[in-house]
Amino acid sequence: MSSTVANAMITSVAARAESASKIYGSGDNEVRALDDVSVTFERGKYSAIMGPSGSGKSTLMHCIAGLDSLTSGQVFIGDTDLSSLNDKALTKLRREQVGFIFQSFNLIPTLNAYENIVLPLSLGGKPGDEAWIKQVIDTISLHDRLDHRPSELSGGQQQRVAVARALASQPEIIFADEPTGNLDSKSGTEILKFLRRAVTNLGQTIVMVTHDPVSASYADRIVFLADGRIAGEMTQPTPEKVLDYLKHLGE
Amino acid sequence: MFRLALKMSLARKSRLALTSLAIILGTSFLSGTTIFTDTINSTFERLFTDVFRGVDAYVRSSSSIETNFGESRRGPTPISALETVLNVPGVSAAVGDMQGFARVIGKDGEPLGKEMGPPTFGGIASASVAGLWRVESGRLPVGATEMMLDRSTAKAGKFVVGDTVRVNAFSGTREFTLVGVANYGDISSPGGATFALFDQPTASEFLLKPGFVDAILVQGDGSVSDEELASAITAALPSEAKLETLTGAQITQETTSQIKTALGFFTTFLKAFSYIALGVGCFVIYNVFSITAAQRQRESALLRAIGASRRQVTTSMMVEALIVGVLGSLLGFVSGIGLSRALSALLNALGLEIPTSGLTIRSNAVIATVVVGTLITVLSAVLPALRAGRVSPLAAIRDSALDTVGNFRHRVILGLVLGALGALGLVSAVNGASTTVLGLGVLGVFSGFLVLGPVFSRPMAMLLGAPITKMRGITGAMARQNAARNPKRTSRTAAPVLIGVALVTSFTALASSLKSEIRDTIGSAFRGDYALSVDSHGFGGIPTSITDQINELPMVEQATGVGLLPAKIGEESRFILIFNPKTAEGLYNIPMVEGQQSALTTDGILVENNKAIEKGLSIGSKIDVTLIDGRTVLLTVRGTFKSAFANYAVSRELFEGSTTPLFDNSVYITIAKGVPDTDARNAIAAVSSDLGIGKLQSRNQFIDSQAGQVNQILALIYGLLFLSLIIAIVGIIITLLLSVFERKREIGLLRAVGMTRSQVRTMVRWESVITSLFGAVTGVLLGIVMGVVIVVSLVDKGFSAFTLPITGTIFILIGAFIIGVLAAVFPARRATRNDIISAIAST
Ligand SMILES: Nc1ncnc2c1ncn2[C@@H]1O[C@H](COP(=O)(O)OP(=O)(O)OP(=O)(O)O)[C@@H](O)[C@H]1O
Ligand SMILES: [Mg+2]
């Protein structure tokens, strides 16, 4: 049993952190945003990260995604140790193996929706997998808006484009930091459903930071953070279970 | 609110720094040229006060003719008057003074002094306290074989006391022994002129005419005032001698103001340029305010949302503008001091020694700079500040969007009207209206173009960026979009480039038209094989005796000289063309409209066709012409001719027996049949260029070099416009930096999704290149339009062709490309330094 688990871990880990610590400032101003965090995100799974404000969720995500560096510890995307990469290699890795969805300001205002979707591919000078891109666009159902600029799209549509962009290069893993934070509940639900579908139907790996128990319940598994440490985990979450756990965590 | 405004502007250090930089740039040229001009003027004032210290009265001919550049040419003074002056009670000493033409020939056989440079003088060295020279080493020259040099000429020619020096003057070329070196006042030589000094009889005979000097310097014994002395001298002089007496103070003042007028051309030029720099600076300042106002939109909106009134928001921006304006102008003044030093250094390097002993900084200059700088800053801030006040509180929540161009149709109409009015101004200025009209015309054309700018900056940027998109893929596409996304910003940023390039293009176009005009004129007039010429315009030249000598050489078929002298025709002072109708036939052909060139007699005159029409002159009309020596002669019009360069022509015989030394500027030569070229050349050179008299050139060489003189003026203009391009570069740098700050989040996002640092740099660089090229292309178009307008309206004046400067245009476009690349270096680096996380996190 243990050997099969270990095996599965080796083959199906999309990203992981080992004893990751991140310290901001020094002396009296020292803030331990991450304190010896070890966590693994499985391939083909939808994970959520939850925790109180300031608990280090965004920091963890940024460090695993190669946007920021750790003070100590290691992070891996697939089998690649990020600390061994220089800026150029890191950029290439972000372009090819990582997808991003931020809370807002996800799109380049001078590019239209389609250009935004294929941006990481264009930056790498690659045409990308046409059939895949078509499938992604089908999934977010934005055919009639592809030549529109972001300013001509609603917030929900903009987030859908951002989801498509994250998917377009078939990355190893997609990170989403409160992707529905700025949306009304209808658009938000739509985005969450797209993400769910991307995992279930298209086989993608997603890690999503959220404050909302309902959003988190779309995930396969939730990792709880508090004060820069892993505070717990939950699989097959429901909104009620999550709410309950959070209450418990707050005490 | 004031304290709040202060706090808010201090919080944005980079914005503050960039705004100040724009102001410093605009004002430093203004203060630099002001300080420089003040310094030159006060230096010459001091110099002449010192030089004329011992002079209490100054006797000279009362007949004079003003020339174009503020100097005047006077008849000579007979040395016999010296006796009379010395006998006037109250006079303790008196000596002759002279400033004639004399060229010192260097040890290498080349005349000293720069081509087209400061004049080369010959004068009198005298022991009297009234003399202007102070012996530095050696002694004063005595007799026909001795001379003295000013210190800087001696140094330049590496002459020491005891050397033999060859000098070329009106009476030919002679050798002298250098017996002394002198200073003029306390400096080595004023303004880079060269001085060869002799005793009075030698100077008179060698430079002018035996028995004559230019003026008499008088020193009083102190018993009477200078005024009384001057009137006593006037009373003693016979009235038929046509002499006048000035006091020492008067001649000091007159000489100083003459120098000022002579330098006036130069100072006006500097001033015009500093206004261009200021105008270009205005654009940069206005651009900075517009951009920062857009960037602080959220801040303004937030203030409005929490209850600040429109007025308060506007006022807080104006207060910031006021503070930055005063600070920036003060700093601009300080950097202007450095700039004026650089200007003197530049002139010294060009051989125009400006004897500056310290800078003259008048409080007026400080006040003017600060007032002008603050005023333009505050004015530049008005519109953006009003716009900031009008921002809706809701904008606090919105992302900063792309800007809008407003009403296109209004813009197009306003732009076209301004442009048309400007063109009208240009045309009327070319046809004789004042320089103010010219300035307004240029201003009108530029404003028209600039109002139109935002209308076509987007399509132009897209067009210029198209090849870059092809070459550089998505990075190029984004650069193109960035250049096109803020049409107003792009056109304002490109404006300095546009102005510089338009001026360069129109000057180049004008110059090449002028060059081809010179070629045509000389080419059709000059029919010989060789030309002997000097570059000293209107002062000295080739003594006519040399021309005659060449004409008599057996190897020469025919030689004829052409010279210029000022004369007064009616009330106008003009340079008139002087030639010899007897030898000119077939060799030097004036393009006659009516009458024959050979019909010109001693009492005749030829008049330029347009001038004749203007004055209602025709063959047979009679006009009064006053010559330098004071003679007034009644001349009969014998014909009319066409020329862009001369208005009148008279026969050389008119000056026979005159006390005015007559020089030719060029001598045209046909060699005798069957004589080998080299033999003829050697024979001519033996009596002329080998003696340092003129430059001997073949017909083609001569035409080339005459046309090439336009290039020297052009080079000066280019030099100054180059400085305005520096402002343009800094303007682009500032705008790019502001854009990079503004797009911090966007760049962060791009980096997050996989844009490499070098791709970010490429993107910024190409945006810069597109902007700069946009300015250059529109500038070239505008320059061509202005050039055509000017040249076409000059057609009457004899200009025939508009020549499109194709190579020049290509260079300009390449230059604009380079400017774009250079301007992007720093902003591009800045763009990659942004930390991705903080860029994304920032709101
Ligand atoms: N650049 C920084 N400098 C100093 N401290 C920082 C910096 N970025 C984050 N922190 C601190 O690190 C801790 C974790 O921040 P982080 O943004 O990861 O929290 P979070 O869990 O994402 O919070 P939220 O739910 O509010 O987004 C916080 O205490 C924060 O103040
Ligand atoms: Mg966060």
Side-chain angles (χ1 to χ4, degrees), chain A residues 87 94-95 100 106 123 149, chain B residues 481 749 751 754 757 759:
Chain A
D87 180 74
R94 284 200 303 270
R95 196 162 67 207
F100 287 103
N106 259 303
L123 285 172
R149 292 270 179 93
Chain B
Q481 290 293 347
L749 177 66
R751 293 274 294 129
R757 286 205 164 103
Q759 281 176 317

Side-chain angles (χ1 to χ4, degrees), chain A residues 22 24-25 29 31-34 51-60 62 68 103 177-178 209 211 225, chain B residues 835 837-838:
Chain A
K22 175 81 183 175
Y24 287 112
N29 296 328
V31 176
R32 252 171 208 278
L34 293 179
S53 190
S55 58
K57 305 182 293 294
S58 299
T59 309
L60 177 63
H62 291 153
D68 205 352
Q103 185 174 351
D177 196 348
E178 303 184 43
V209 169
H211 280 282
L225 276 184
Chain B
D835 176 48
I837 301 293
S838 60

Side-chain angles (χ1 to χ4, degrees), chain B residues 17 84 102 165 168 185 256 292 339 374 436 440 448 521 533 565 567 657 674 682 689-690 706 712 748 754:
Chain B
T84 321
V165 182
N168 150 234
T256 310
T292 52
L339 202 71
T374 309
T436 318
L440 288 176
T521 306
S533 62
L565 270 184
N682 289 341
S689 51
D690 282 357
Q706 293 293 304
Q712 287 176 305

Side-chain angles (χ1 to χ4, degrees), chain B residues 64 94 498 622 687 793 804:
Chain B
S64 77
L498 180 146
K622 290 186 191 297
V687 297
S793 57
L804 188 66

Side-chain angles (χ1 to χ4, degrees), chain A residues 62 67-68 87-88 91 94-95 100 102 104-111 119-120 122-124 149 165, chain B residues 399 402 458 474-475 478 481-482 485 745-746 749-757 759 836-837 840:
Chain A
H62 291 153
L67 288 172
D68 205 352
D87 180 74
K88 202 165 174 184
T91 307
R94 284 200 303 270
R95 196 162 67 207
F100 287 103
F102 300 105
S104 64
F105 202 79
N106 259 303
L107 307 178
I108 300 299
T110 51
L111 300 179
L119 181 61
S122 312
L123 285 172
R149 292 270 179 93
R165 185 200 49 219
Chain B
D399 264 328
L402 315 174
R458 193 179 149 76
I474 187 74
T475 325
M478 283 179 16
Q481 290 293 347
N482 283 342
R485 73 199 283 183
R745 275 209 293 180
E746 195 175 316
L749 177 66
L750 284 167
R751 293 274 294 129
V753 302
M755 188 178 252
T756 60
R757 286 205 164 103
Q759 281 176 317
I836 303 175
I837 301 293
I840 298 168

Side-chain angles (χ1 to χ4, degrees), chain B residues 402-417:
Chain B
L402 315 174
D403 73 6
T404 47
V405 178
N407 194 323
F408 264 56
R409 184 188 299 220
H410 287 175
R411 239 173 216 287
V412 171
I413 293 171
L414 181 66
L416 290 179
V417 167

